[in-house]
């Protein structure tokens, strides 16, 4: 089911949550809506589900405008952030609920309900918890039950609000992998909301980055990471250093020294002469030992595949540098050592 | 971070006629039944509460200011109002002291019979006022279980203003205990331990840490007990003796005026008491907001 | 672990003070009701209860509660649904108005109906012209009772439903449930204990109400006397056994209500503990 959203506006009292959002979601796609809290991402998801009504704009599922449809008539499965499991019903009854409340005409017979619920519980691998109550489940188990409940009504679209938000780190990673497999198997159009950029980039086919009620950029994960459209996206996705810089005759200069020709600097449409900021990812900074260099090493972290080095430039800026770690530890810089820095790529934004 | 002009500063919003409409008095919701439930709520509220109370206020309005003022400024009415309000105030203060002690003991100490004592606190709330009235009167009468020993000490309770106060203490007690108790139970033991680590004495801890945290609940509970006691009727009239100017409470005076068919005077006293109750309710709402001011949103 | 505590003598003094206060003010009156009721033996007690006037009072009290409680139950659920499941302006004013009968004197709860239906009241002349009597009939007693018990169910439900939020109902909506199905299958099971408790309190107050009912009843024996009014009349006629016998039934009602409340609390506590 393709979803087309255009010109979506939504306010709550005097607060505007969405300032006109346009978005296309392709059939079968796994899409992430990524943004900090207050960016309107959950509002967008609730509008898609029909849990809120937009002030303006349209939402189409396929060719059909679903604007006036209540959530029950949209063929969406919705997984709430805190799951919203019915606390007085067993796992089985929770999953069966969507089938049992159908009008008698379309309600499947009891035997089929049983079979379908059991299949779903198998699918989400909690069939051994059938008779437990939500309060007796762990967070990860609740998540799976909530998903099974959403899938029971055979939705065309699956919507998940911060699906891993309430889980601890290890369960998170495990469920993430599992959700990706499940999506591959079911091939259902799936949209999830998250504030965790790693989660979005790792899981989604495409990511919508939102900030303050607007779409900042839409793209495949790598596209977003390597070519952020603006400072907001740059800051939000991954770590970044921000250097005061200026643009002269098409060359970006930091502290009046031009940056090497070889560096890939995105000018984001800036014109010839301007002051501004140069965004540089930690792995796009290189450092070489140099007793006359502009920076001093202040801290070195040796854990993992990357060396994380913090340096302070002589004008007081703190920068992060990431260097792939070699097999030997001889080449590791030490705190106090002077180094010179080289920029290998980044984004220049005019002030 | 270096400051940047926000890249988010808007491209202008698309003009949209519905953009500013948003919600008028009710936020749209996907849940059903608002019209039905709200309609019935307002209908029933109007029928049972608003129209009858409005009728009384309207009646007062037709009296005119002079008649109203004359009705409520007779010495007998003033004495009754003074007794109802003053007695309720004294009872509420006594309840504040003993209610806090009871709440403290029930929450902090373990002793045999604690659960029973805890359940007994609700009795004044559940026992019909007429039953409480005749029981307290018999108990404190000159030959009663408590009245007899007190009489030997020269203290008369039944059929005096003191009796009124005893009855009002009875009806107000659960309000103080049940307001203070949960707050006391939720008080984090760590803050007391922190005070201990900062070398505060036990008494200092109670006075400077625990009491200030309890204070809003204590004030709210006392105000609730006071509000309830001002209008109390059933438990008081048996023990009061109902001597005009001495031990006659305002609600009883309303009843007497009605029996004398002096509707105007009854209505005037009723309106004064209603206004007082409404003010108390507003004050209590304010109190509740104030008492939650340290809570995290 | 218990937090830091006081010296032993302080604890014992406080416990003693608290228990003496409770005993003198609560336990003794309660015991006294039963002692006085049975003072002249069991047969006198049952004679007092089977007196035709007492019996009529009991029946009227049951009738009053049977009408007032269900109506206020429906109202309480309606009001709690409208208030907690939706956002609208004027909500706190609405809550204050619902609370109002709780804070006005019960006598006023009777007075207002006298002013509406009495001879000098707003509808008095019209009622008289059409030969309809409301004041001094069970109808007025029921109306006054509805007034004083008005907020009970709503007050129990409001905090409970507020705390439970709307997500489960929204989830049911997404799964295609209708309004009635949402209430019946999702909301009601979650609030049933609180609802039951509200009904119990409402019932206790409805059966025990004195002030409001006393004003509108006219004290017609065998016709418009409820149990508390019967207690008053007997007591004022120095028929103490008769008064305390009926009073003991009302006291039993209060005790049963409180025991039921403790049981409900225990159920709720156990449910809370199940949540990890």
């Amino acid at each position: 089911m393709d979803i087309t959203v255009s010109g979506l506006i939504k306010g709550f009292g005097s607060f505007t949550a969405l300032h006109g959002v346009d978005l296309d979601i392709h059939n079968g796609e796994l899409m992430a809506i990524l943004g900090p809290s207050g960016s309107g991402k959950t509002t967008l998801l609730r509008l898609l589900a029909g849990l809120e009504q937009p002030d303006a704009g349209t939402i189409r599922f396929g060719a059909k405008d679903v604007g006036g449809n209540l959530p029950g008539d949209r063929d969406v499965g919705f997984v709430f952030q805190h799951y919203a499991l019915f606390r007085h019903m067993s796992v089985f009854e929770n999953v069966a609920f969507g089938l049992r409340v159908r009008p008698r005409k379309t309600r499947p017979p009891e035997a089929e309900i049983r079979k379908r619920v059991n299949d779903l519980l198998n699918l989400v691998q909690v069939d051994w918890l059938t008779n437990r109550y939500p309060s007796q489940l762990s967070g990860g188990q609740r998540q799976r039950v909530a998903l099974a409940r959403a899938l029971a009504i055979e939705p065309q679209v699956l919507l998940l609000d911060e699906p891993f938000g309430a889980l601890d780190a290890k369960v998170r990673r495990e469920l993430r992998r599992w959700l990706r497999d499940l999506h591959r198997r079911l091939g259902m159009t799936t949209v999830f909301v998250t504030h965790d950029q790693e989660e979005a980039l790792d899981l989604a086919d495409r990511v919508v980055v939102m900030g303050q009620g607007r779409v900042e950029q839409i793209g495949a994960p790598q596209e977003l990471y390597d070519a952020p459209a603006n400072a907001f996206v740059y800051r939000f996705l991954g770590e970044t250093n921000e250097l005061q810089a200026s643009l002269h005759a098409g060359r970006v200069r930091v502290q009046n020294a031009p940056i090497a020709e070889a560096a890939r600097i995105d000018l984001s449409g800036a014109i010839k002469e301007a002051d501004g900021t140069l965004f540089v990812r930690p792995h796009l900074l290189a450092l070489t030992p140099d007793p006359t260099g502009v920076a001093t090493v202040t801290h070195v972290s040796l854990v993992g595949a990357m060396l994380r080095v913090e340096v302070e430039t002589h004008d007081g800026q703190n920068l992060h540098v990431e260097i792939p770690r070699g097999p030997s530890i001889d080449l590791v810089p030490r705190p106090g050592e002077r180094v010179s820095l080289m920029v290998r790529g980044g984004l220049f934004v005019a002030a | 971070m270096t400051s940047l002009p926000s890249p988010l500063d808007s491209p202008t919003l698309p003009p949209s006629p519905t953009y500013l409409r948003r919600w008028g008095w009710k936020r749209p919701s996907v849940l059903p039944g608002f019209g039905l439930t709200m309609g019935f709520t307002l209908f029933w509220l109007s029928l049972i509460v608003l129209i009858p109370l409005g009728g009384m206020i309207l009646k007062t309005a037709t009296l005119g200011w002079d008649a109203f003022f004359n009705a409520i400024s007779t010495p007998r009415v003033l004495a009754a109002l003074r007794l109802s309000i003053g007695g309720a105030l004294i009872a509420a203060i006594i309840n504040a002291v003993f209610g806090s002690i009871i709440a403290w003991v029930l929450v902090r100490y373990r002793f045999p019979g604690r659960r029973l004592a805890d359940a007994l606190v609700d009795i004044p709330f559940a026992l019909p006022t007429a039953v409480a009235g005749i029981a307290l009167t018999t108990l404190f009468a000159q030959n009663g279980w408590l009245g007899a020993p007190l009489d030997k000490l020269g203290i008369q309770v039944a059929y005096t203003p003191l009796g009124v106060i005893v009855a009002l203490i009875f009806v107000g007690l659960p309000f103080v205990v049940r307001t203070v108790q949960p707050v006391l139970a939720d008080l984090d033991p760590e803050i007391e331990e922190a005070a201990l680590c900062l070398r505060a004495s036990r008494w200092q801890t109670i006075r400077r840490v625990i009491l200030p945290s309890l204070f809003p609940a204590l004030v709210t509970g006392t105000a609730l007990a006071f509000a309830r006691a001002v209008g109390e009727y059933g438990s008081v009239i048996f023990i009061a003796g109902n001597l005009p100017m001495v031990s006659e409470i305002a609600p009883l005076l309303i009843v007497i005026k009605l029996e004398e068919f002096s509707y105007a005077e009854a209505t005037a006293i009723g309106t004064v008491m209603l206004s007082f109750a409404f003010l108390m309710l507003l004050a209590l709402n304010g109190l509740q907001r104030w008492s939650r001011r340290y809570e995290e949103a | 672990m218990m937090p830091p505590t006081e010296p032993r003598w302080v604890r014992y003094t406080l416990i003693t003070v608290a228990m003496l206060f409770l005993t003198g003010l609560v336990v003794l009156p309660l015991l006294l009701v039963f002692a006085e009721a049975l003072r002249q033996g069991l047969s006198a007690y049952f004679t007092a209860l089977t007196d035709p006037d007492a019996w009529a009072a009991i029946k009227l009290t049951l009738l009053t509660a049977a009408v007032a409680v269900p109506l206020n139950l429906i109202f309480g659920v309606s009001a709690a649904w409208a208030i907690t499941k939706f956002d609208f302006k004027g909500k706190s004013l609405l809550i204050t108005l619902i609370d109002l009968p709780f804070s006005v004197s019960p006598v006023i709860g009777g007075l207002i109906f006298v002013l509406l239906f009495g001879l000098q009241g707003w509808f008095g002349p019209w009622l008289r012209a059409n030969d309809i009597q409301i004041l001094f009939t069970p109808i007025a007693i029921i109306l006054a009772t509805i007034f004083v018990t008005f907020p009970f169910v709503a007050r129990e439900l409001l905090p409970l439903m507020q705390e439970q939020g709307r997500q489960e109902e929204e989830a049911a909506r997404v799964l295609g449930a209708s309004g009635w199905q949402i209430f019946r299958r999702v909301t009601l099971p979650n609030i049933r204990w609180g609802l039951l408790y509200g009904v119990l309190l409402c019932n206790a107050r409805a059966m025990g109400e004195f002030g409001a009912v006393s004003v509108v009843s006219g004290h017609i024996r065998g016709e418009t006397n409820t149990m508390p009014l019967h207690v008053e009349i007997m007591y004022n006629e120095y028929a103490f056994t008769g008064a305390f016998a009926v009073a003991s039934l009302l006291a039993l009602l209060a005790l049963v209500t409180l025991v039921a409340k403790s049981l409900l609390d225990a159920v709720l506590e156990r449910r809370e503990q199940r949540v990890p």
Side-chain angles (χ1 to χ4, degrees), chain B residues 95-108:
Chain B
N95 269 330
V97 175
F98 286 95
S100 312
I101 292 177
I102 292 172
W104 177 269
V105 164
L106 289 177
V107 172
R108 288 308 175 91

Side-chain angles (χ1 to χ4, degrees), chain B residues 187 203 205-216 218:
Chain B
L187 216 58
W203 174 237
T205 308
I206 291 175
R207 204 172 40 121
R208 309 182 75 130
V209 179
I210 300 176
L211 275 184
S213 332
L214 289 186
F215 191 68
L218 184 57

Side-chain angles (χ1 to χ4, degrees), chain A residues 28 36 49 68 118 230 251 262 296 350:
Chain A
N118 285 327
N230 55 38
R251 293 280 299 276
T296 312

Side-chain angles (χ1 to χ4, degrees), chain A residues 99-134:
Chain A
L99 301 172
R100 290 203 196 284
V101 296
R102 287 200 186 161
R104 206 171 296 263
K105 275 177 295 178
T106 57
R107 190 188 309 156
E110 181 64 24
E112 200 193 320
I113 292 182
R114 296 207 153 267
K115 182 176 179 314
R116 211 173 319 155
V117 172
N118 285 327
D119 288 351
L120 276 166
L121 290 175
N122 266 321
L123 178 73
V124 299
Q125 300 160 359
V126 290
D127 44 325
W128 50 290
L129 297 170
T130 311
N131 293 317
R132 297 256 189 107
Y133 284 84

Side-chain angles (χ1 to χ4, degrees), chain A residues 20-349:
Chain A
V21 166
D22 300 301
L23 183 61
D24 286 310
I25 302 167
H26 308 314
N27 187 24
E29 194 170 34
L30 179 54
M31 186 149 215
I33 303 175
L34 174 67
S37 54
S39 59
K41 56 189 192 305
T42 295
T43 305
L44 177 56
L45 196 75
R46 288 173 65 87
L47 282 163
L48 288 177
L51 287 166
E52 307 280 354
Q53 293 298 317
D55 295 331
T58 56
I59 300 172
R60 284 173 198 286
F61 282 20
K64 189 172 144 220
D65 186 343
V66 293
N69 287 19
L70 285 168
D73 312 327
R74 284 197 188 189
D75 272 348
V76 294
F78 195 95
V79 177
F80 289 79
Q81 183 176 2
H82 300 290
Y83 320 128
L85 291 176
F86 305 128
R87 65 194 98 175
H88 61 286
M89 293 182 199
S90 66
V91 166
F92 183 92
E93 286 303 323
N94 260 287
V95 178
F97 183 87
L99 301 172
R100 290 203 196 284
V101 296
R102 287 200 186 161
R104 206 171 296 263
K105 275 177 295 178
T106 57
R107 190 188 309 156
E110 181 64 24
E112 200 193 320
I113 292 182
R114 296 207 153 267
K115 182 176 179 314
R116 211 173 319 155
V117 172
N118 285 327
D119 288 351
L120 276 166
L121 290 175
N122 266 321
L123 178 73
V124 299
Q125 300 160 359
V126 290
D127 44 325
W128 50 290
L129 297 170
T130 311
N131 293 317
R132 297 256 189 107
Y133 284 84
S135 59
Q136 298 165 312
L137 304 180
S138 72
Q141 290 164 345
R142 285 181 205 184
Q143 176 63 265
R144 288 165 191 254
V145 174
L147 193 68
R149 186 178 69 176
L151 292 173
I153 57 170
E154 300 178 315
Q156 304 271 3
V157 177
L158 184 60
L159 305 172
L160 304 102
D161 188 6
E162 294 274 4
F164 313 112
L167 303 171
D168 61 52
K170 188 163 166 291
V171 181
R172 236 168 202 233
R173 270 195 298 277
E174 202 180 290
L175 270 181
R176 207 194 283 168
R177 212 170 305 136
W178 172 78
L179 182 67
R180 191 167 43 201
D181 287 349
L182 197 68
H183 175 255
R184 199 172 298 148
R185 263 204 280 170
L186 299 173
M188 188 184 299
T189 311
T190 304
V191 184
F192 71 98
V193 153
T194 179
H195 65 270
D196 181 339
Q197 36 112 355
E198 192 190 324
E199 203 164 282
L201 299 181
D202 184 41
L203 199 50
D205 299 325
R206 286 197 306 152
V207 177
V208 184
V209 183
M210 295 197 57
Q212 297 190 11
R214 292 195 177 78
V215 171
E216 297 295 341
Q217 192 173 3
I218 304 176
Q222 195 211 342
E223 202 179 321
L224 294 178
Y225 192 79
D226 289 342
N230 55 38
F232 178 86
V233 179
Y234 213 114
R235 277 188 193 135
F236 195 66
L237 292 183
E239 266 191 276
T240 177
N241 292 298
E242 299 181 20
L243 302 167
Q244 278 170 12
S246 58
L247 181 64
H248 275 294
R251 293 280 299 276
V252 175
R253 304 165 74 92
V254 175
Q255 291 175 6
N256 273 327
I259 282 175
E261 295 268 9
R264 283 182 41 194
I265 306 291
D266 186 345
L267 296 179
S268 75
I271 31 144
K272 265 189 298 188
E273 308 276 315
D275 286 337
T277 304
L278 181 64
F279 291 85
V280 186
R281 298 242 183 260
H283 72 273
L284 292 177
L285 272 178
L287 42 81
T288 40
D290 179 356
T292 62
V294 294
T296 312
V297 174
T298 55
H299 182 78
V300 181
S301 160
L302 286 167
V303 178
M306 286 285 183
L307 274 180
R308 290 169 204 277
V309 183
E310 285 171 34
V311 302
E312 185 179 337
T313 59
H314 61 71
D315 59 343
Q317 285 200 74
N318 284 302
L319 303 176
H320 294 254
V321 185
E322 279 181 4
I323 317 166
R325 205 173 150 180
S328 119
I329 57 163
D330 299 347
L331 299 171
V332 172
R334 289 164 200 285
E337 207 174 321
R338 303 278 303 236
V339 290
S340 61
L341 294 167
M342 195 172 70
V343 175
R344 298 193 301 187
L347 171 75
F348 177 80
V349 177

Side-chain angles (χ1 to χ4, degrees), chain C residues 95-118:
Chain C
I95 295 174
T96 305
L97 289 177
I98 290 174
D99 265 349
L100 200 53
F102 204 72
S103 14
V104 304
S105 175
V107 168
I108 290 178
L111 170 66
I112 52 179
F113 292 104
V114 174
L115 293 180
L116 282 188
F117 304 122

Side-chain angles (χ1 to χ4, degrees), chain B residues 56-133:
Chain B
M56 181 173 87
I57 293 166
L58 214 60
K59 181 92 181 169
T60 312
T62 59
L63 291 181
W65 176 249
D66 282 345
F68 174 75
F69 191 75
N70 286 337
I72 61 159
S73 60
T74 66
R76 188 174 174 191
V77 173
L78 288 179
L81 285 171
R82 200 179 308 128
L83 179 63
S84 273
I85 294 173
L89 192 62
I90 295 170
I93 290 167
I94 292 172
N95 269 330
V97 175
F98 286 95
S100 312
I101 292 177
I102 292 172
W104 177 269
V105 164
L106 289 177
V107 172
R108 288 308 175 91
Y109 304 149
R110 293 290 170 270
F111 55 92
R114 187 183 63 92
R115 289 189 82 88
L116 180 68
D118 191 51
L120 285 172
V121 170
D122 279 330
I123 290 277
F125 194 67
L127 196 68
T129 53
V131 177

